[in-house]
Amino acid sequence: RIQIFQYQVMKWLLALLVGSAVGMVGFFSNIAVENIAGFKLLLTSNLMLHNRHMEAFLLYMFCNAVLAATAAALCAYLAPAAAGSGIPEVKAYLNGVDAHSILAPSTLFVKIVGSIFGVSAGFVLGKEGPMVHTGACVASLLGQGGSRKYGLTWNWIRYFKNDLDRRDLITCGAAAGVTAAFRAPVGGVLFALEEAASWWRSALLWRTFSTTAVAAMVLRSLIEYCRSGNCGLFGKGGLIMFDVSSRVTAYTATDIAAVILLGILGGLLGALFNFLLGWILRTYGIINEKGAPFKIILTVAISLVTSCCSFGLPWLSPCTPCPPELPASRCPTIGRSGNFKKFSCPAGHYNALASLFLNTNDDAIRNLFSGGTDSEFGVTTLLTFFVAVYSLGLVTYGVAVPSGLFIPVILSGASLGRMLGKLLGSLTGLDTGLFALLGAASFLGGTMRMTVSVCVILLELTNDLLLLPLIMLVLLIAKTVADCFNKGVYDQIVRMKGLPFLEVHGDACMRSLVAGDVVSGPPITFSSVERVGSVVHTLRRTGHNGFPVLEDEPFAPAPELCGLVLRSHLIVLLQGRIFTRDRVKTGAAEVFRKLAPFDFAKAGSGNGLKVDDLGITEEEMEMYMDLHPITNRSPYTVVENMSLAKAAVLFRDLGLRHMCVVPRTPGRPPVLGILTRHDFMPQYIRGLFQNVLRE
Amino acid sequence: RIQIFQYQVMKWLLALLVGSAVGMVGFFSNIAVENIAGFKLLLTSNLMLHNRHMEAFLLYMFCNAVLAATAAALCAYLAPAAAGSGIPEVKAYLNGVDAHSILAPSTLFVKIVGSIFGVSAGFVLGKEGPMVHTGACVASLLGQGGSRKYGLTWNWIRYFKNDLDRRDLITCGAAAGVTAAFRAPVGGVLFALEEAASWWRSALLWRTFSTTAVAAMVLRSLIEYCRSGNCGLFGKGGLIMFDVSSRVTAYTATDIAAVILLGILGGLLGALFNFLLGWILRTYGIINEKGAPFKIILTVAISLVTSCCSFGLPWLSPCTPCPPELPASRCPTIGRSGNFKKFSCPAGHYNALASLFLNTNDDAIRNLFSGGTDSEFGVTTLLTFFVAVYSLGLVTYGVAVPSGLFIPVILSGASLGRMLGKLLGSLTGLDTGLFALLGAASFLGGTMRMTVSVCVILLELTNDLLLLPLIMLVLLIAKTVADCFNKGVYDQIVRMKGLPFLEVHGDACMRSLVAGDVVSGPPITFSSVERVGSVVHTLRRTGHNGFPVLEDEPFAPAPELCGLVLRSHLIVLLQGRIFTRDRVKTGAAEVFRKLAPFDFAKAGSGNGLKVDDLGITEEEMEMYMDLHPITNRSPYTVVENMSLAKAAVLFRDLGLRHMCVVPRTPGRPPVLGILTRHDFMPQYIRGLFQNVLRE
């Protein structure tokens, strides 16, 4: 009873701890980006002020290349799993894919540092996706009680060494990551619910919400602290926050038509983005496979292209006179990040393209979203920026740095939306800043196909509930249009990485198959009291994680299915050396005198014992071990003629890892095989199905 | 393919239709309450102005009693299911309890009209709970394609005649109901997710959100229209909306301590509320069982008590001079609903208690929540009001009118919170209005144990994200404290009504039992080609809804489980009269030539065919019918020695209605029994368990 209470309290403490840790990491990474990128931009614009354009360009390019190379080197040598957004990996983990190193401590380190360097390097990429991955890593690390490899472990965390609690905690971590990236606590919860988690329980809702609330509070109080100027030169910006106060309550038919048009455009361009991204990722995959140096070279090359674009394109834009109502201190901006960049213009003028390109991405988004500034950016400026950002966003994702997709998508969407707003001009009563916001929403809907979470995140960013109908409309249209062409970008990446992700709806081919069709051959089984040697040999020979246990001769008249035993539990039992000379039952009491229940707890990633490390002697090999105490006596089973589609529902909805297939008629072996996650992958079934057809 | 597209479009159209219908119903019921209650209060206060106190009291009491009697009569004679909140019933329905009349058209009608009369009668009850039920009813009605009984049917709705789509639509309806009640679209979705639905799919999130957004938009535009004075005298108020603009960003330790205290108080008093409510409901149950007249008498009695309290207690309160800064038109309020009621006070004075009692509940809440009015209500006033509202709320729920619990709980919480704020005075920097809000949150947490949805609803009501941390803190504490004592009020009512609700976590006793333990006797089975007479007799004799079908002699060497057949499908097949003289398979082609797949669609509540209506002749009784085409060939099965707790997980997570228990060893009948929802009820198992122990 006390243990249950302790467990409950710890679960909550851990969740809150994750929240505050993620909030702090989010704040730290934000401040770091602001300072590094700010310092770089300050140096460049100082040189520009003295008309040393070439030097400024070279310095800018050099800084970017060095930052990019560092990030890529970290990624390539230390933790290749840290490249990319990380959201697909987190999604797959929460679906039950236990891939190595997804949530390892080294991944966490590289994800944070690499993301800071990557964003500072001026790439068109975001820190939002990596933040979600970071949140998940932090949660995993805390949930494991630290890392055994680095000698940081707590023992009191042992209650949480199981799949369910670990997955719950990582869901909380991912939600906190979104919150840390967007300051959106409700949005974080809905992101976890809609995009990240594959299983959801009501109880999780409140825990996740607490985590995100703590993360938001920590973040807000740290930012509050920074407002007093304690966080370096550039600690004020970052974390896009767009306070639109244009309270629109009525829309005309033209407005609605414009929004619908924007939704269709967002859907089409979003689907195109996903399609092109898939193609580019395959191409990059070939380059990246050649080794770490190639990864770094690719990254630096993209960095150079990005630098040329950001620095070169503004030259195409003419200088615009500052709006007369603004004070000279606000326009042009000299030597700090902000609106109205001076670039190469004479006094009292600003370069519109430079205001977008030579800025951090957050500032560019804020510029695009800003209301009441209809004339700041012209149509040509916005079109140039849109084309550049759309293409750069495509070629940047896939290089070996932690790179989120939110920012490129928001940037292209916002510039497109604002452009449409400019083009419509006085035809619509909506602000161009609002158009930028709607454009961003439509692009997010078109690429990521998230709906409610994007909606709520944008609501929380704008703090204005009255925008809700327009945002929902544009999202609905964009998602519907894009769904006609391909799947969401994260699903696409999951599939390209070959992660065995269980979809909600099984493939159509499953409906005409039965469970018996996909079972491959007779399974490797153990007798309920098995010779040690046979267990060891089997474990060495195969990589299977679960084995059916059969009750036979002395213990039952005919062989019958006793249950399922896990590889990890077998290894713990072998390590405990609870063997007997003769083939007899030892009983559970014997086992649990030597081993505590916690010894069977699931180990963290990569911490599992190996069979070969146990050093079983020849003599011991001839002894027997009783598998009854560690056998799961009630494995979920399906009859061989069960529809495969229904078996898949059972497998997925209950979150199983193994499912036994039993025969329908007596007189056959009591278990026909074991179905695992891989047996439900459409590719596998389709391959098998062809064979069945041919036969 | 076209059908799938049609289905998708219709699903969305239907959801949007539900949203707008619920929005309109919400608006209409609100306007009706405002006008009826407003007119009643206007008459009363006009009499008071002329110092005709006794007449005013009698008129007030008479109006209330008549309204209450009408509501109770409607409820007692037309639709007893419409009494009470309706949220427990909706919850049970979404859990799979197909109770009759929960969502019938008559229930809908009584729910709307009864709720309007009940709220207008000045009872301490809300229209929020009934609104959720109304939303669910509207969704059910639209999803069934109208009511066959009342001759309103659409045929195009046939795609939706199945459990899944119906349940989805009703979830949307319930969410829209919350939105219509609180103007909180995100809150509505989270309410549906947290409290109402037992199964949740990602796809539902977006559809529910669209529904609530439409409901909110319809509601808002109708209210906008009413602002121009088109909706009668009192069309402006209603729908509590509290625009706190006191942007608190920093809290002191005292504030936090006060909030924690409030949370504990809310938890304790909330748990007490639930306990007392259970006791009162049992007492009322005895009275209500005696028949409809007793129901009406009870309702009128409570109405008289309420009238006496609302009109009598204000006499205890002294007259307070109006705050000098207010214009004479605002204080005292004469002859309209609002703040600062004059009651029996001289000019320039107001009666604080009357401002709370002689008002609609919405106005009272708005008064309590109002900020910057610290001195309006004294501690004694608030204490009197709290005690009165807490007790009246308890005795009112359970009378035969549609009555929500939100309003009584918010009223008591807000008065308690405001009182605490007054008592602390200058010790805290928080506004008393904010304290009232936090008090309401803590009471909601303490009674209903909803967390995220309450949080988000309050956020949407206040439109201020900065309050989030305080609200979350108070909710967390209140829920944790209250959970130590009893269950949430809705769970408690579900249990008291005896609805077979499947909990997320099975009872502890299940862990030591296996599936075979709870199966009762050999099941009634059919042969795969069965004599018509035997089917008809069995259907007449038993009320079972599912029967195992066995494949035997001519079709299989030994009896084996072929599948499961549903009562409703058997009746359709009987009605189709697809019989053969001999015991042969007819095949699916024969069946589907006579019957369309839609004939097997699930009928609406109470619309199912009866066996006796079919008129099977004696000759037909001797013929055979082939059950193969209508048999579900892949029923979910468990082995008899499967742990009951794991079987319960399977049953609940997959939302099954029948589960076959198969033997472990050969040589026994191929199916040992069928497990249904009732077999997983803790009461049933505990009863059975005692028998097992005795044996």
Side-chain angles (χ1 to χ4, degrees):
Chain A
R1 195 155 181 86
I2 288 176
Q3 279 199 328
I4 291 178
F5 181 73
Q6 202 182 348
Y7 167 75
Q8 289 286 350
V9 170
M10 292 254 306
K11 209 160 63 174
W12 277 94
L13 276 185
L14 216 53
L16 301 184
L17 199 62
V18 167
S20 38
V22 174
M24 274 188 277
V25 169
F27 170 76
F28 168 74
S29 107
N30 186 49
I31 289 296
V33 166
E34 287 286 306
N35 275 299
I36 299 177
F39 190 68
K40 180 189 80 182
L41 291 171
L42 183 65
L43 286 182
T44 315
S45 61
N46 276 348
L47 285 175
M48 288 298 289
L49 265 187
H50 299 97
N51 279 324
R52 291 152 72 180
H53 302 309
M54 202 58 200
E55 286 171 52
F57 174 58
L58 288 176
L59 178 77
Y60 179 75
M61 202 159 73
F62 178 74
C63 286
N64 283 350
V66 168
L67 287 167
T70 320
L74 276 173
C75 226
Y77 289 108
L78 262 181
S85 157
I87 294 180
E89 282 87 351
V90 172
K91 213 178 147 171
Y93 182 87
L94 291 176
N95 190 264
V97 181
D98 260 359
H100 270 299
S101 72
I102 282 184
L103 301 175
S106 59
T107 310
L108 172 62
F109 172 76
V110 173
K111 201 89 199 186
I112 297 176
V113 178
S115 165
I116 291 173
F117 285 169
V119 175
S120 310
F123 278 125
V124 181
L125 51 74
K127 55 183 183 302
E128 280 69 17
M131 193 66 82
V132 173
H133 195 168
T134 304
C137 286
V138 168
S140 161
L141 201 64
L142 289 175
Q144 281 182 27
S147 161
R148 202 182 297 174
K149 198 166 157 197
Y150 299 99
L152 303 155
T153 46
W154 303 305
N155 202 30
W156 49 260
I157 220 88
R158 57 191 182 176
Y159 297 110
F160 297 93
K161 299 218 165 185
N162 62 66
D163 270 343
L164 183 70
D165 282 320
R166 205 168 280 170
R167 216 182 279 143
D168 283 358
L169 205 57
I170 286 167
T171 308
C172 289
V178 173
T179 306
F182 292 109
R183 293 200 257 186
V186 185
V189 175
L190 288 172
F191 173 85
L193 171 60
E194 190 184 13
E195 191 65 24
S198 293
W199 296 283
W200 190 263
R201 294 170 302 122
S202 231
L204 205 51
L205 190 63
W206 181 229
R207 193 135 30 99
T208 316
F209 199 12
S210 310
T211 314
T212 59
V214 169
M217 272 157 68
V218 166
L219 199 63
R220 182 169 289 149
S221 48
L222 286 174
I223 291 172
E224 209 59 45
Y225 172 77
C226 270
R227 267 189 223 283
S228 27
N230 301 317
C231 311
L233 268 171
F234 303 94
K236 288 170 194 169
L239 297 168
I240 24 171
M241 182 87 169
F242 163 52
D243 238 325
V244 68
S245 32
S246 62
R247 305 217 147 220
V248 230
T249 44
Y251 330 111
T252 64
T254 334
D255 298 345
I256 302 287
V259 169
I260 291 176
L261 177 65
L262 199 56
I264 296 174
L265 276 179
L268 290 175
L269 289 167
L272 182 67
F273 189 90
N274 289 4
F275 173 74
L276 293 175
L277 192 69
W279 187 78
I280 286 172
L281 280 180
R282 271 188 293 273
T283 318
Y284 281 10
I286 300 167
I287 303 176
N288 284 340
E289 264 173 23
K290 291 187 181 159
F294 285 88
K295 285 188 182 177
I296 299 176
I297 291 171
L298 179 65
T299 310
V300 172
I302 299 295
S303 165
L304 295 181
V305 172
T306 309
S307 301
C308 292
C309 279
S310 334
F311 206 92
L313 288 175
W315 293 101
L316 299 177
S317 167
C319 290
T320 322
C322 280
E325 68 272 18
L326 284 181
S329 63
R330 284 209 50 212
C331 174
T333 314
I334 303 169
R336 56 180 175 82
S337 72
N339 237 329
F340 301 112
K341 284 271 173 183
K342 187 168 175 291
F343 203 57
S344 60
C345 293
H349 288 66
Y350 71 94
N351 184 314
L353 264 178
S355 308
L356 295 174
F357 272 122
L358 286 177
N359 238 333
T360 56
N361 292 330
D362 283 355
D363 278 328
I365 292 177
R366 224 175 291 123
N367 284 347
L368 286 171
F369 279 179
S370 62
T373 50
D374 281 5
S375 54
E376 186 176 348
F377 304 107
V379 174
T380 346
T381 310
L382 290 167
L383 183 63
T384 320
F385 187 68
F386 168 70
V387 173
V389 162
Y390 191 84
S391 346
L392 284 175
L394 275 172
V395 297
T396 308
Y397 191 87
V399 302
V401 288
S403 50
L405 276 172
F406 272 102
I407 294 291
V409 168
I410 292 179
L411 275 176
S412 4
S415 47
L416 186 76
R418 199 170 172 116
M419 193 173 79
L420 190 73
K422 278 297 274 188
L423 282 175
L424 288 175
S426 57
L427 279 175
T428 134
L430 305 180
D431 192 88
T432 49
L434 184 56
F435 261 107
L437 180 75
L438 293 172
S442 91
F443 259 58
L444 287 170
T447 50
M448 303 184 180
R449 315 289 158 85
M450 293 190 290
T451 48
V452 182
S453 34
V454 166
C455 211
V456 173
I457 288 173
L458 289 176
L459 276 190
E460 288 187 284
L461 284 179
T462 58
N463 206 1
D464 187 356
L465 278 173
L466 297 170
L467 294 175
L468 186 63
L470 288 183
I471 297 182
M472 288 192 68
L473 181 66
V474 86
L475 271 171
L476 182 61
I477 294 171
K479 183 178 153 69
T480 313
V481 168
D483 273 342
C484 299
F485 297 100
N486 48 26
K487 302 186 81 178
V489 68
Y490 294 129
D491 288 321
Q492 208 177 317
I493 296 172
V494 164
R495 200 189 280 179
M496 281 180 59
K497 294 213 165 188
L499 298 170
F501 190 88
L502 281 178
E503 300 284 342
V504 183
H505 294 291
D507 200 70
C509 67
M510 287 191 193
R511 250 172 272 159
S512 44
L513 291 172
V514 297
D517 289 342
V518 295
V519 160
S520 47
I524 301 164
T525 58
F526 288 130
S527 175
S528 58
V529 180
E530 184 63 272
R531 218 169 50 84
V532 174
S534 124
V535 171
V536 170
H537 285 305
T538 308
L539 290 184
R540 277 201 193 127
R541 209 176 70 232
T542 71
H544 295 188
N545 283 313
F547 303 91
V549 175
L550 301 186
E551 195 84 83
D552 49 11
E553 264 311 309
F555 311 109
E560 59 183 33
L561 179 64
C562 172
L564 196 75
V565 71
L566 294 182
R567 164 183 284 263
S568 56
H569 293 180
L570 281 173
I571 292 182
V572 174
L573 200 65
L574 283 172
Q575 197 192 17
R577 288 190 162 61
I578 303 162
F579 306 144
T580 47
R581 295 238 162 258
D582 302 310
R583 194 143 181 266
V584 292
K585 285 193 188 182
T586 46
E590 177 70 19
V591 170
F592 289 112
R593 216 176 51 220
K594 280 209 186 172
L595 295 169
F598 287 120
D599 291 334
F600 291 101
K602 185 165 179 165
S605 54
N607 288 337
L609 284 162
K610 303 280 173 302
V611 199
D612 296 321
D613 305 344
L614 295 174
I616 307 280
T617 61
E618 278 303 316
E619 189 192 2
E620 283 171 334
M621 286 294 215
E622 294 303 318
M623 294 169 82
Y624 289 91
M625 57 198 284
D626 181 6
L627 303 186
H628 283 109
I630 59 164
T631 301
N632 168 8
R633 300 295 194 93
S634 302
Y636 286 101
T637 57
V638 290
V639 184
E640 54 175 329
N641 66 335
M642 172 75 137
S643 149
L644 189 60
K646 289 183 94 170
V649 170
L650 171 62
F651 192 84
R652 195 203 123 98
D653 283 8
L654 299 191
L656 305 183
R657 292 197 185 278
H658 305 97
M659 188 158 72
C660 300
V661 179
V662 296
R664 190 188 179 199
T665 45
R668 300 179 45 206
V671 56
L672 298 178
I674 291 220
L675 291 180
T676 63
R677 168 177 294 270
H678 290 275
D679 296 317
F680 291 104
M681 290 297 117
Q683 314 84 292
Y684 170 76
I685 296 176
R686 282 182 185 282
L688 212 68
F689 196 42
Q690 287 172 344
N691 294 340
V692 170
L693 278 180
R694 232 177 284 144
E695 282 165 17
Chain B
R1 199 162 176 79
I2 288 176
Q3 279 198 326
I4 292 177
F5 180 74
Q6 202 181 347
Y7 169 73
Q8 291 285 351
V9 169
M10 291 254 306
K11 208 161 62 176
W12 276 94
L13 276 184
L14 217 51
L16 301 185
L17 199 63
V18 166
S20 38
V22 174
M24 275 187 278
V25 169
F27 170 76
F28 168 75
S29 106
N30 185 51
I31 290 297
V33 166
E34 287 287 307
N35 275 298
I36 298 177
F39 191 68
K40 180 188 80 183
L41 292 171
L42 183 64
L43 285 182
T44 316
S45 60
N46 276 347
L47 285 176
M48 289 297 289
L49 264 187
H50 299 96
N51 279 324
R52 292 152 71 181
H53 301 308
M54 203 57 203
E55 287 169 53
F57 174 58
L58 288 177
L59 178 77
Y60 179 76
M61 202 159 70
F62 178 72
C63 285
N64 283 351
V66 167
L67 288 167
T70 320
L74 277 173
C75 227
Y77 288 108
L78 263 180
S85 156
I87 294 180
E89 282 88 350
V90 172
K91 215 179 145 170
Y93 183 89
L94 293 176
N95 188 266
V97 181
D98 261 359
H100 270 301
S101 73
I102 282 184
L103 301 174
S106 58
T107 310
L108 172 62
F109 171 76
V110 173
K111 202 88 198 187
I112 298 177
V113 177
S115 165
I116 292 173
F117 284 170
V119 175
S120 309
F123 278 125
V124 181
L125 51 74
K127 56 184 183 300
E128 281 67 18
M131 194 66 83
V132 173
H133 194 167
T134 304
C137 285
V138 168
S140 161
L141 201 64
L142 289 174
Q144 282 183 28
S147 160
R148 202 183 295 173
K149 197 165 156 199
Y150 300 99
L152 304 155
T153 47
W154 302 307
N155 201 29
W156 49 261
I157 221 86
R158 55 189 184 178
Y159 297 110
F160 297 93
K161 299 218 165 186
N162 61 65
D163 270 342
L164 183 70
D165 283 320
R166 205 168 281 170
R167 216 182 279 144
D168 283 358
L169 205 59
I170 286 167
T171 309
C172 289
V178 173
T179 306
F182 293 108
R183 292 201 259 185
V186 185
V189 174
L190 289 172
F191 173 85
L193 170 61
E194 190 185 10
E195 190 65 23
S198 293
W199 297 283
W200 191 262
R201 293 169 302 122
S202 233
L204 206 51
L205 190 62
W206 180 229
R207 194 137 28 101
T208 316
F209 199 13
S210 309
T211 313
T212 58
V214 169
M217 272 158 67
V218 166
L219 199 62
R220 183 169 288 149
S221 48
L222 286 174
I223 290 172
E224 209 56 49
Y225 171 76
C226 270
R227 268 191 223 283
S228 26
N230 301 316
C231 309
L233 270 171
F234 303 93
K236 287 170 195 170
L239 296 167
I240 26 170
M241 181 89 168
F242 163 53
D243 239 325
V244 70
S245 31
S246 60
R247 304 217 149 221
V248 231
T249 44
Y251 330 111
T252 63
T254 333
D255 298 345
I256 303 286
V259 169
I260 292 176
L261 177 65
L262 200 54
I264 296 174
L265 276 179
L268 290 176
L269 288 167
L272 182 67
F273 189 90
N274 289 5
F275 173 74
L276 293 175
L277 192 68
W279 186 78
I280 287 173
L281 281 181
R282 269 189 293 274
T283 316
Y284 280 12
I286 301 167
I287 303 176
N288 285 339
E289 264 175 24
K290 292 187 181 158
F294 284 88
K295 286 188 184 177
I296 300 176
I297 290 170
L298 179 64
T299 311
V300 172
I302 298 295
S303 164
L304 295 180
V305 172
T306 310
S307 301
C308 291
C309 279
S310 335
F311 205 91
L313 289 176
W315 295 99
L316 300 177
S317 167
C319 291
T320 322
C322 281
E325 68 272 18
L326 283 181
S329 64
R330 285 208 50 213
C331 175
T333 313
I334 303 170
R336 57 179 174 81
S337 73
N339 236 331
F340 302 111
K341 285 271 174 185
K342 187 169 174 292
F343 203 58
S344 60
C345 293
H349 288 65
Y350 71 95
N351 184 314
L353 264 179
S355 308
L356 295 174
F357 272 122
L358 286 176
N359 238 333
T360 57
N361 293 330
D362 284 354
D363 278 326
I365 291 177
R366 223 175 292 123
N367 284 347
L368 286 171
F369 279 179
S370 62
T373 50
D374 281 6
S375 54
E376 188 177 347
F377 304 108
V379 174
T380 344
T381 309
L382 291 167
L383 183 63
T384 319
F385 188 68
F386 167 71
V387 172
V389 162
Y390 191 84
S391 345
L392 284 175
L394 275 171
V395 297
T396 308
Y397 191 87
V399 302
V401 288
S403 49
L405 276 171
F406 272 101
I407 294 291
V409 168
I410 292 180
L411 275 176
S412 5
S415 46
L416 186 76
R418 200 170 170 115
M419 194 173 76
L420 190 72
K422 276 299 272 189
L423 283 175
L424 289 174
S426 57
L427 279 175
T428 136
L430 304 180
D431 192 89
T432 49
L434 184 56
F435 261 108
L437 181 75
L438 293 172
S442 92
F443 258 59
L444 287 170
T447 51
M448 303 185 179
R449 316 287 160 86
M450 294 190 290
T451 48
V452 181
S453 34
V454 166
C455 210
V456 173
I457 288 174
L458 290 176
L459 275 190
E460 288 188 283
L461 285 178
T462 59
N463 208 0
D464 188 356
L465 278 173
L466 297 171
L467 293 175
L468 187 63
L470 287 183
I471 296 182
M472 288 192 68
L473 181 65
V474 85
L475 272 172
L476 181 61
I477 293 171
K479 185 179 151 71
T480 313
V481 168
D483 272 343
C484 300
F485 296 101
N486 48 27
K487 302 187 81 179
V489 68
Y490 294 130
D491 288 322
Q492 207 178 317
I493 296 173
V494 164
R495 200 190 282 179
M496 281 181 58
K497 294 211 167 192
L499 298 170
F501 191 87
L502 281 178
E503 301 284 342
V504 183
H505 295 290
D507 200 69
C509 67
M510 288 190 193
R511 251 171 271 159
S512 45
L513 291 171
V514 297
D517 290 341
V518 296
V519 161
S520 47
I524 301 164
T525 58
F526 287 130
S527 174
S528 58
V529 179
E530 184 62 274
R531 217 168 54 84
V532 174
S534 124
V535 172
V536 170
H537 286 307
T538 308
L539 289 184
R540 276 199 194 129
R541 210 177 68 235
T542 70
H544 295 188
N545 284 312
F547 304 91
V549 175
L550 299 186
E551 195 85 83
D552 50 10
E553 265 308 311
F555 310 109
E560 59 184 33
L561 179 63
C562 172
L564 196 75
V565 71
L566 295 182
R567 164 184 283 263
S568 57
H569 293 180
L570 281 174
I571 292 181
V572 175
L573 201 65
L574 284 173
Q575 196 191 21
R577 288 190 161 60
I578 302 163
F579 306 144
T580 48
R581 295 236 162 263
D582 302 309
R583 193 144 181 266
V584 291
K585 286 192 187 181
T586 47
E590 175 70 20
V591 170
F592 288 112
R593 215 175 53 217
K594 280 208 186 171
L595 296 169
F598 287 120
D599 291 332
F600 291 101
K602 184 164 179 168
S605 53
N607 289 336
L609 285 162
K610 303 279 173 302
V611 200
D612 296 322
D613 305 343
L614 296 174
I616 307 279
T617 62
E618 277 305 315
E619 189 191 1
E620 283 172 333
M621 287 294 217
E622 293 306 316
M623 295 170 84
Y624 288 92
M625 56 199 285
D626 182 6
L627 304 185
H628 282 108
I630 58 164
T631 301
N632 168 8
R633 299 295 195 90
S634 303
Y636 286 101
T637 57
V638 290
V639 185
E640 54 175 329
N641 66 335
M642 172 76 136
S643 148
L644 189 60
K646 287 183 94 170
V649 170
L650 171 63
F651 191 86
R652 195 203 125 97
D653 282 9
L654 299 189
L656 304 183
R657 290 197 184 279
H658 306 97
M659 189 158 73
C660 301
V661 179
V662 295
R664 191 186 179 202
T665 46
R668 300 180 42 207
V671 56
L672 298 179
I674 292 218
L675 291 180
T676 62
R677 169 177 293 271
H678 290 277
D679 296 315
F680 291 103
M681 291 298 116
Q683 313 84 291
Y684 171 75
I685 297 177
R686 282 182 186 280
L688 213 67
F689 197 42
Q690 287 173 343
N691 293 338
V692 169
L693 279 180
R694 231 176 284 145
E695 282 164 19

